[in-house]
Amino acid sequence: MTATSPAPRRERVLALDGARAIAVVAMVFGHTFSALISPAGMLVPWVTTYWHVRAFTSPLFLFVSGWVLFFVITRRGLSGTAVFRAYLPRVALLFTLGYLLRFPIWDLGGLVRLDAQLWRYFATFDALQCIAAAMGVTLFVCAWIRRTWVRVALLGSFAALIALLAPRVWLALGGPTIPGVVAQTFGGGESLFPIFPWTAYFFAGASVGAVVQSRASSPLRLAAIAGVATAVAFSKWPWAHLPPTEVMRFVGGIAIVSFVVTGALLLPRWLNHALAPVGRASLWAYVMHLPVVYGWGYWHGMATRVGPILDDREALLVAVAMVLATVCVSVLAQRRLGGGRWKLLGARAFSWALRRLGRQPAVKDPLKPARPV
């Protein structure tokens, strides 16, 4: 399959949006629930079981993000500078939002004075920065290479290499002499989503997704893929408690998220159609719920205002309410503010900047934006 191959069926796009909806709902629920449940509530049997499952929310979110990006680039047949015109504004937006959510507005003087502890906090890599960094690499690969199978092989190699090197990177960057900004970005610091190993899930999603999309032509094949993924995942279940840099945890995580995504591909179209708006509004949901749960600047979120004092039933009810509110507001915001005209504006601005720099010839028609993914 090459970049000019016929576009996959539309149902597959709905399925990917459905998988992303599952990931974002699990993420909002997990953040709210963990911020409010008491230590005694953590000992309840169903909560203990849920805590094992919750570990796969972030890998799923990154995996599906890589799958969606590579799928859309391939479907649209983009290569060269067209890839950057279409998606580099998105990369810039993710970096901006990610660091804005950590902007230390309470101590601007500390930023100017280059306070080490403050910059270490501000430079912490979160999920948005991790996705943006992996997107940037993927864009370069797709712009430089036209053949889809070469792209898939290269991105898959990136995933394997990052997973294998992650323990060594963490060990090398964990020393006291390493600048905090470097450790927070690449690994070894307190960041929850450093480049090593978390971008590996994004690259794995892009490569595995391309293979599944090209080979899985029937529900039977998809079921077989899901079955293999399940067998691998549960055979590696003991690694659930290992550090995030463990290669076996990465292998098992890929198996679990592959199972979830292939399961979404097997869902009825009407169900994926109902979930798709939530998946397309996942960025809104992420940005909106974090300040409410954890706070921002001078605003204290539920984690501070309420704290971990609720029992399992109370925390469950609040988390469900938070999911419903976030889904409603984010879908409405996506429909009102996240339409194609904003992507068109970004594409026009980026094309204008390239022309001003003399790197891109003028084009008569601006790039037509794709449906939000």
Side-chain angles (χ1 to χ4, degrees):
M1 188 174 82
T2 63
T4 59
S5 299
R9 295 180 300 175
R10 188 64 180 172
E11 299 92 296
R12 299 282 174 82
V13 180
L14 292 176
L16 294 180
D17 286 332
R20 190 159 51 172
I22 295 172
V24 74
V25 166
M27 175 184 62
V28 174
F29 179 91
H31 286 168
T32 308
F33 189 79
S34 62
L36 300 179
I37 191 167
S38 64
M42 290 284 293
L43 301 178
V44 177
W46 78 265
V47 176
T48 304
T49 303
Y50 162 73
W51 225 253
H52 290 297
V53 178
R54 182 177 180 263
F56 305 109
T57 302
S58 299
L60 176 62
F61 196 73
L62 292 165
F63 186 90
V64 174
S65 298
W67 188 325
V68 170
L69 176 66
F70 190 81
F71 171 77
V72 176
I73 289 176
T74 304
R75 186 189 65 176
R76 298 176 62 189
L78 298 179
S79 61
T81 56
V83 177
F84 296 114
R85 290 201 307 270
Y87 289 104
L88 203 56
R90 180 79 168 186
V91 173
L93 175 64
L94 292 178
F95 270 122
T96 301
L97 291 175
Y99 287 115
L100 182 62
L101 289 172
R102 282 192 164 269
F103 189 73
I105 192 174
W106 60 88
D107 191 5
L108 298 180
L111 287 179
V112 177
R113 295 191 306 269
L114 301 180
D115 181 87
Q117 184 175 0
L118 193 65
W119 272 96
R120 190 180 185 92
Y121 167 82
F122 179 48
T124 298
F125 243 53
D126 279 331
L128 294 185
Q129 293 96 315
C130 184
I131 292 175
M135 280 185 67
V137 174
T138 304
L139 296 185
F140 274 103
V141 169
C142 293
W144 177 42
I145 299 172
R146 291 180 178 270
R147 291 185 177 275
T148 301
W149 70 269
V150 181
R151 293 174 174 178
V152 171
L154 192 56
L155 292 174
S157 299
F158 286 165
L161 190 62
I162 290 172
L164 288 171
L165 292 180
R168 295 182 179 273
V169 171
W170 276 53
L171 183 63
L173 299 181
T177 60
I178 302 298
V181 172
V182 175
Q184 295 293 69
T185 301
F186 292 96
E190 296 85 15
S191 175
L192 296 177
F193 297 96
I195 290 177
F196 291 85
W198 288 99
T199 55
Y201 289 103
F202 187 98
F203 296 134
S207 55
V208 172
V211 173
V212 171
Q213 292 294 145
S214 62
R215 300 298 180 187
S217 57
S218 68
L220 182 60
R221 290 189 179 184
L222 286 175
I225 293 172
V228 171
T230 305
V232 173
F234 284 99
S235 68
K236 304 300 181 183
W237 190 258
W239 48 252
H241 298 287
L242 297 177
T245 54
E246 275 290 340
V247 176
M248 293 313 300
R249 180 175 182 179
F250 171 75
V251 172
I254 293 299
I256 283 288
V257 298
S258 298
F259 167 74
V260 174
V261 175
T262 49
L265 290 170
L266 289 169
L267 291 177
R269 183 177 179 180
W270 66 266
L271 183 55
N272 276 318
H273 186 78
L275 292 173
V278 181
R280 297 189 189 110
S282 59
L283 179 59
W284 286 99
Y286 184 89
V287 173
M288 287 179 175
H289 90 279
L290 283 182
V292 177
V293 176
Y294 297 113
W296 183 84
Y298 296 105
W299 166 265
H300 296 292
M302 288 190 292
T304 303
R305 293 175 180 269
V306 179
I309 61 172
L310 305 183
D311 62 29
D312 59 313
R313 290 171 294 181
E314 294 170 336
L316 175 64
L317 291 176
V318 175
V320 170
M322 184 65 187
V323 167
L324 294 176
T326 302
V327 166
C328 292
V329 174
S330 60
V331 170
L332 180 62
Q334 173 68 19
R335 290 178 175 175
R336 296 290 185 180
L337 304 174
R341 62 183 182 275
W342 297 102
K343 286 193 172 185
L344 180 61
L345 179 62
R348 283 176 172 172
F350 189 67
S351 297
W352 175 85
L354 287 178
R355 292 197 302 270
R356 295 285 293 180
L357 292 173
R359 298 176 182 173
Q360 174 69 23
V363 291
K364 182 177 294 184
D365 296 320
L367 180 68
K368 182 181 179 181
R371 189 182 182 92
V373 295

